[in-house]
Structure formats: C-alpha cells, structure tokens
Amino acid sequence: MLRPNLPKPPQNPLNQQSFEQNYRDVCNLLLSLTHSRSLPKGLQLHSHVLKSGLQTIPLISHYLINFYSKNQLPLHSRQIFEEASRKSSTTWSSVISSFAQNELPVLAIEYFRRMLGAQLRPDDHIYPSVAKSCAILNRLDVGQSVHCLAVKTGYEFDVFVGSSVVDMYAKCGEIRDARKVFDEIPEKNVVSWSGMIYGYTQLGQDEEALRLFKQAMVENLDVNDFTFSSVIRVCGNSTLFELGRQIHGLCFKTNFDLSSFVGSSLVSLYSKCGVIEGAYRVFDEIPVKNLGMWNAMLIASAQHVHTDNALDLFKQMESAGMKPNFITFLCVLYACSHAGLVEKGQYYFSLMREYGIEPGEQHYATLVDLLGRAGKLQEAVKIIDEMPIEPTESIWGALLTGCRIHGDTELAASVADRVFELGPVSSGLHVLLSNAYAAAQRFEEAAKVRKMLRDRGVKKETGLSWVEEGNKIHTFAAGDRTHMRTKEIYEKLEELGEEMEKAGYVADTSFVLREVNREEKDQTIRYHSERLAVAFGLITFLPDRPIRIMKNLRICGDCHTAIKFMSKCSGRVIIVRDNNRFHRFEDGKCTCGDYW
DNA sequence: AATGCCTGAT
C-alpha cells in the first residue's frame, strides 16, 4: 500500500500513533459507507474528518468525493475537490467521474479541460467518464479530441477507454468510426460487444447488428440481457419472427428470458409479429415486472385492439403501486383512440396531471388523433388552439388524418393554409397537405405543393407487403409478377374472387379516385400487394396456421373489405399489420370493427 | 476508481 501524504505531524509526538490509527479507520469506514450508500453516517463521518483535519489528505478527499458521487450528490463532490489542498490525478479522476455519473456532463468536460490546462496527464480512468459525457451531450467534436488524446497517451487499446469511445461515436451517429475503434480493442468484453451492437440498432443498421451478434455467438463470447434485448428489438422492428423465436430460445437456455429488459423486447417482438398470445405468455412469465415491461404489454394489447385488456393493465399497474410515466399514458391514449373511446381517452388525459405528468407534444397529438378519428374535428381544433404548447407536425398530421377519414375537405385545406404560413415542413406532412388541397378541389395549390415535393427529391414510398415463411421473407408489390409462384398466386386470386363475389363482395373503386396518395393505379386494385401476400399464404401454409402479413403503408378500404371476404371464404385467420395497427380478420369480420 | 442501462409509435 502506498504511504499516504500525511499533513505535518502534530506537535505532540504521542499523538502521532492515534492520528495514523484514526486516519486508517476513517478510510475503511468511508469505503464501507460508500459501498452501502449510508448517507447520514457518511455526513457524520465527514464532519469528524473536518474536525480532525484529515481532509487535507488526498486519499481521504478522494474517498469523500466517491462517497458523494455514489449518493448522487455531485456538487458535494465538487466542493470537496475545490477545497482539497493537493489535487492528485486520482482526485481529478474522482470528481470528473462524479459529474459524468450524475448527469452533469458539461461540468465533467469543463473540469477535464481545466485538468489539461494544469498540465496534468489524464490516466486511463478518466477517459471513460469524459467520453460518456460527450456521448450524453452529443458533442462529436469534443469526443473526437478526447479520442485523439487517448491515442496520443496510448490508452486507445484499453477495453474501458475503447468501449466508451465506441459508445460515444455510436451515439453521435459516427458508426464507422465506432467500428474502427471496436475492431482495434484487443480484448473486448461484453460492454464493447453490446455497445457496438446497440449502436447499429440505434442507427437502424439491423443487418450489421445481427451479423455482429451472430459472430459473438459463434465465437462463444460473453453476452448478457442488454445484448439480447438489443437484437430482439431488431427482430421486432423488422418483424423477423422466426429469428426472434430462435433468439428467445437462446435466452431461455441462458436464463436471461426472466429479465424484465429482455421480457419487454420479447413482448414487443411477439406483438409486432402479430402473435399477441405469445406476448401475453412472456408477460405472465416474467416474475418481476418493471415499468418498461408494463408499457410494452400495454402498447401490445392496444395495437391488437385488446382495448379492455389494455385498460385493465393500467388498473393493475395502479394497484401494483407501479407509477405510470409519460409513455404509459401515450399507450393508454393510443388504446382509446383506436377503439373510439373518446370519453375514456379524455379521462386518462386529465388523469396525467394527477400523476404529476405534464402532457407533452405527443400526448396532444394522440388526443387530437382520438378526437379526429371519432369525427369530433371542431373539438380537436379547439384543443390545438387552447393548448399551452406550439402545435407540432404530428399534431397537425393527426388533425389532417381526422379530416381525411371524415371527409372534411374544407377544414383540411384551411389547416394546410395555416401550416404553410408557419414555414417549411417535413416531407411526410407535405404529402398530407397536398392531399388536403386536392381533396378540396384546390388543384392549383395541390400541384404547386406536389412540385415543391418533387423539387426536394421526395419520392413516394412504394407499397409493399411481406410474409415470413420459415427463414425466408416473401415481399410483394402491387401487380407484382416476380415471385417464383406468381402463376399459382394469381390463379388463387381468380378462384377466390369468384367465391367472394358470390358471397357479396363488390369492388369499391372509389378508393382509387378519392385517395391521391394511393400506391398504384386503378387496374391493379385487385392485385394490391396485401392480396398477393394473402394468396401466397393460402397456397403455402397449412390450413390451421394464421396468415400474418406486414405492410408498410395503410391498408386501403377496398382491400380491407376484400380480406374480410377472403377470411370468410377460405376459413382462415388473416392478420395484417399496416403502418398503423393490426387487423385480425376471421370469418368475415375484422377486429378493428372498421374503425382505423 | 471506470464504459453499455434498453421499454411507446410516427
């Protein structure tokens, strides 16, 4: 053990021994109190330290800074640091890490600069804290110079330094730099791997994330619940059900399936893949449910229009003493909106304040969506005019969606006028606005807006539907004839078409005329991507297996009617997820109750 | 003495 730098020995040599004894006792006690986070006892000890003059010893101030850091009192850490007579590199390191761990990243960077200014050489323990602070603040410029300095001082290959720099680059969106640093770390640990995988998922580079995960598996490396939840989320986002199920199996083997974090991504996976029963099963099996778990289950039941379940979950949460957060309320409002429960929705909206949550932009958007879908457009406008925040694009979008559903072309056009006065908008909203003008027969303006879109190089998204079969994904576009089994698919559609007409199906071509932003021209309405996907499912899957289809755009009204007939004529359960929600068709009916 | 701390949908 290093001999501490003691202050001048007391005058009376007899006291020397007791002083050293006292010093050692204080050190040990401080360490144990830091470990157990006993704040009152620590405060007591601190005043004892001051009385006996021990605070001048660097090791003691270092322990005190750590003690306050662990107790989430970074400003106490700061005070001790400032009062310390001699500041060793350990003292600097402690105070900077206290800032980094307690949400004061700006101070962490400021002190790091001060330290460099004092001509001190940072050690390997400081870099992770500073890199983390840059990541939180999204300060790529500072992060880069920190990385440079780490390279210069020879710490870039340290697993802690490297991992934190990987995370910093990933969070700042520089995934390639993150990867370069990652590849250079000679002895990576679970944090390095998870950080890199998580970085890819955050940027939507799902394939790269999965590839890296696979490599980690093949090389038999250490992974944990964080790693699993990242890759399961990838499977959920891309609706890779089979792969997700296999990874669920891996979690089961490693017992990570009981983790709440893994559980919530599993719930979301099963739900997004249209297997709501699986989501409920996972939820029930997780012994300790955290807030994310409840929220994941809530949104899953809301998406599948199990509205009673959703509202019941909310009640269960309350009685379990789980405090809902802003996401919980978004989920509940979403559930009400998609079931047309206006009053219930308004009730939950007002309940937020009782929980001390100020409604945010997204809550207002959902409320406007709720009112708009239910046809209460004037009330929706009133909410927008009276709310304490500036309307955002999603709020205008919600109102415009309501206008479209209820054919209020006049209101839609006036909203468009109002929005354009406010300045430039994103391309998504732009499309809605151009449709609003077209629907109100203001064709000149519609053309102008569309031209603006074209000039900005915005392309319409192609409507696609896809079905998973084993480990393969079959994708269809409208009128598509590229699939290997095209002939059989079209034959099946013809055959089904006759049965459907006998059962009373009449194609509604008005959807073609009314909807400007439709995916294809009218002659292909009978071969919209979702119908091709259904036909493929019918000729591929065993009769008792539900046909699950994913679609990137909103399902059109005529297809919705057609698939109802398809489910009746074929006796199959057909589940379609469009960009908005789930539809479960069975025996000629859809769970959305035609409200979507 | 230190790095990841994830959940909603658009």
Side-chain angles (χ1 to χ4, degrees):
Chain A
M1 196 180 146
L2 282 174
R3 178 130 183 108
N5 291 315
L6 292 175
K8 274 200 176 113
Q11 298 298 328
N12 184 348
L14 274 178
N15 282 345
Q16 172 75 40
Q17 206 183 355
S18 69
F19 184 87
E20 277 205 40
Q21 182 59 45
N22 187 10
Y23 155 77
R24 264 193 295 273
D25 288 347
V26 167
C27 278
N28 290 334
L29 195 53
L30 253 178
L31 275 180
S32 86
L33 290 180
T34 303
H35 189 69
S36 61
R37 297 190 194 196
S38 347
L39 185 58
K41 282 189 189 156
L43 288 167
Q44 237 173 13
L45 189 58
H46 187 182
S47 62
H48 170 75
V49 164
L50 292 175
K51 261 185 246 148
S52 41
L54 285 169
Q55 80 280 9
T56 49
I57 304 171
L59 192 62
I60 296 265
S61 37
H62 160 66
Y63 282 168
L64 275 171
I65 292 171
N66 287 348
F67 170 77
Y68 284 118
S69 170
K70 278 277 186 304
N71 281 285
Q72 301 175 0
L73 293 168
L75 296 178
H76 284 60
S77 301
R78 179 194 202 171
Q79 201 184 338
I80 295 180
F81 174 83
E82 294 298 351
E83 286 166 359
S85 49
R86 267 194 314 265
K87 298 170 175 63
S88 70
S89 91
T90 322
T91 330
W92 281 97
S93 180
S94 313
V95 75
I96 289 173
S97 111
S98 180
F99 292 146
Q101 285 173 51
N102 290 290
E103 295 166 353
L104 293 174
V106 177
L107 273 182
I109 292 170
E110 189 190 310
Y111 274 62
F112 183 64
R113 287 211 172 103
R114 255 177 73 185
M115 180 186 173
L116 298 178
Q119 304 297 316
L120 281 162
R121 195 186 136 100
D123 66 17
D124 52 342
H125 285 267
I126 294 184
Y127 288 110
S129 302
V130 187
K132 176 194 173 122
S133 303
C134 296
I136 296 172
L137 296 169
N138 232 298
R139 285 293 300 268
L140 178 63
D141 52 342
V142 185
Q144 277 167 332
S145 55
V146 170
H147 180 204
C148 269
L149 208 57
V151 173
K152 266 190 220 157
T153 46
Y155 289 121
E156 60 174 324
F157 303 125
D158 178 273
V159 63
F160 277 84
V161 177
S163 305
S164 63
V165 170
V166 165
D167 182 62
M168 182 275 298
Y169 276 128
K171 290 223 168 98
C172 293
E174 295 293 323
I175 197 75
R176 293 173 69 171
D177 287 334
R179 183 59 188 259
K180 249 187 254 162
V181 178
F182 173 81
D183 286 336
E184 297 269 299
I185 304 173
E187 290 189 29
K188 307 174 189 46
N189 65 11
V190 64
V191 177
S192 340
W193 280 91
S194 303
M196 195 63 233
I197 292 173
Y198 182 69
Y200 281 124
T201 67
Q202 285 303 87
L203 286 157
Q205 300 199 17
D206 292 354
E207 277 178 44
E208 222 21 77
L210 290 172
R211 195 169 302 148
L212 212 56
F213 176 73
K214 193 177 157 196
Q215 196 185 332
M217 287 281 114
V218 170
E219 292 181 25
N220 216 354
L221 295 163
D222 208 13
V223 291
N224 61 12
D225 53 343
F226 182 72
T227 334
F228 274 122
S229 88
S230 294
V231 285
I232 293 169
R233 207 149 21 83
V234 168
C235 298
N237 291 340
S238 314
T239 60
L240 300 168
F241 184 49
E242 280 308 320
L243 184 62
R245 212 154 50 166
Q246 284 170 28
I247 296 176
H248 186 180
L250 283 174
C251 294
F252 184 75
K253 272 193 206 157
T254 47
N255 274 332
F256 284 123
D257 66 320
L258 298 178
S259 138
S260 221
F261 288 121
V262 174
S264 47
S265 33
L266 281 171
V267 164
S268 161
L269 164 80
Y270 282 103
S271 167
K272 283 178 176 162
C273 293
V275 190
I276 185 69
E277 309 78 22
Y280 285 126
R281 219 176 304 133
V282 170
F283 181 77
D284 289 338
E285 279 168 11
I286 303 287
V288 184
K289 300 171 176 62
N290 69 4
L291 183 59
M293 195 67 218
W294 285 95
N295 285 348
M297 194 63 245
L298 251 175
I299 195 67
S301 45
Q303 278 176 325
H304 287 266
V305 214
H306 291 191
T307 316
D308 293 342
N309 274 346
L311 301 185
D312 198 50
L313 279 164
F314 187 82
K315 275 198 204 107
Q316 285 179 43
M317 270 180 87
E318 283 186 307
S319 45
M322 182 62 74
K323 198 173 172 287
N325 70 350
F326 78 104
I327 292 176
T328 317
F329 279 102
L330 276 179
C331 301
V332 181
L333 287 171
Y334 177 93
C336 294
S337 168
H338 285 257
L341 301 175
V342 176
E343 274 152 38
K344 279 228 170 80
Q346 286 168 326
Y347 159 74
Y348 286 113
F349 191 84
S350 60
L351 193 63
M352 287 179 69
R353 286 218 171 78
E354 280 179 40
Y355 276 100
I357 299 168
E358 192 59 33
E361 166 223 323
Q362 292 157 300
H363 299 101
Y364 279 104
T366 316
L367 183 64
V368 169
D369 181 77
L370 167 80
L371 293 166
R373 277 178 201 279
K376 298 184 185 287
L377 294 164
Q378 288 314 316
E379 278 183 53
V381 172
K382 199 160 162 255
I383 293 284
I384 295 179
D385 287 335
E386 290 173 2
M387 65 189 186
I389 57 167
E390 285 303 309
T392 59
E393 291 206 350
S394 43
I395 294 176
W396 289 124
L399 183 60
L400 287 168
T401 305
C403 291
R404 189 198 56 207
I405 294 173
H406 295 281
D408 194 335
T409 54
E410 222 172 284
L411 178 59
S414 78
V415 168
D417 291 339
R418 208 169 143 185
V419 173
F420 274 120
E421 268 171 35
L422 296 172
V425 297
S426 75
S427 49
L429 189 59
H430 220 117
V431 172
L432 279 175
L433 294 172
S434 118
N435 289 349
Y437 282 132
Q441 317 263 314
R442 286 165 61 176
F443 295 118
E444 253 176 56
E445 276 135 315
K448 206 160 59 183
V449 175
R450 267 203 302 277
K451 187 176 176 308
M452 282 162 75
L453 264 177
R454 265 200 309 278
D455 293 347
R456 282 168 53 180
V458 177
K459 283 203 192 99
K460 239 179 2 185
E461 201 181 350
T462 315
L464 295 175
S465 296
W466 61 97
V467 187
E468 196 180 70
E469 182 221 1
N471 274 327
K472 235 189 130 189
I473 302 217
H474 301 259
T475 307
F476 300 91
D480 203 335
R481 286 184 178 275
T482 55
H483 193 270
M484 261 171 41
R485 300 181 67 181
T486 291
K487 198 162 166 273
E488 293 164 78
I489 290 170
Y490 279 78
E491 277 168 10
K492 187 75 198 171
L493 275 182
E494 291 300 325
E495 178 196 318
L496 204 59
E498 280 170 32
E499 280 180 56
M500 283 159 61
E501 275 170 32
K502 269 185 214 148
Y505 167 71
V506 184
D508 182 357
T509 48
S510 69
F511 283 102
V512 181
L513 304 172
R514 219 187 305 145
E515 300 193 10
V516 181
N517 188 30
R518 281 185 1 78
E519 62 183 81
E520 281 298 329
K521 294 201 175 64
D522 59 356
Q523 62 265 37
T524 55
I525 189 165
R526 292 169 60 202
Y527 305 116
H528 271 176
S529 59
E530 52 269 52
R531 300 197 195 189
L532 299 177
V534 172
F536 172 76
L538 286 173
I539 60 172
T540 310
F541 299 137
L542 294 169
D544 56 339
R545 183 189 185 291
I547 297 169
R548 293 192 197 89
I549 293 162
M550 308 294 156
K551 188 174 159 53
N552 61 342
L553 299 180
R554 186 177 186 271
I555 185 169
C556 94
D558 186 51
C559 284
H560 192 266
T561 311
I563 296 174
K564 281 200 265 183
F565 279 98
M566 287 171 157
S567 74
K568 194 175 175 71
C569 296
S570 65
R572 299 276 197 133
V573 173
I574 302 168
I575 298 165
V576 182
R577 190 221 61 186
D578 68 4
N579 61 354
N580 203 15
R581 65 172 304 152
F582 278 95
H583 300 264
R584 184 192 165 98
F585 300 90
E586 189 169 5
D587 194 29
K589 287 192 223 44
C590 176
T591 45
C592 78
D594 298 331
Y595 191 89
W596 89 99

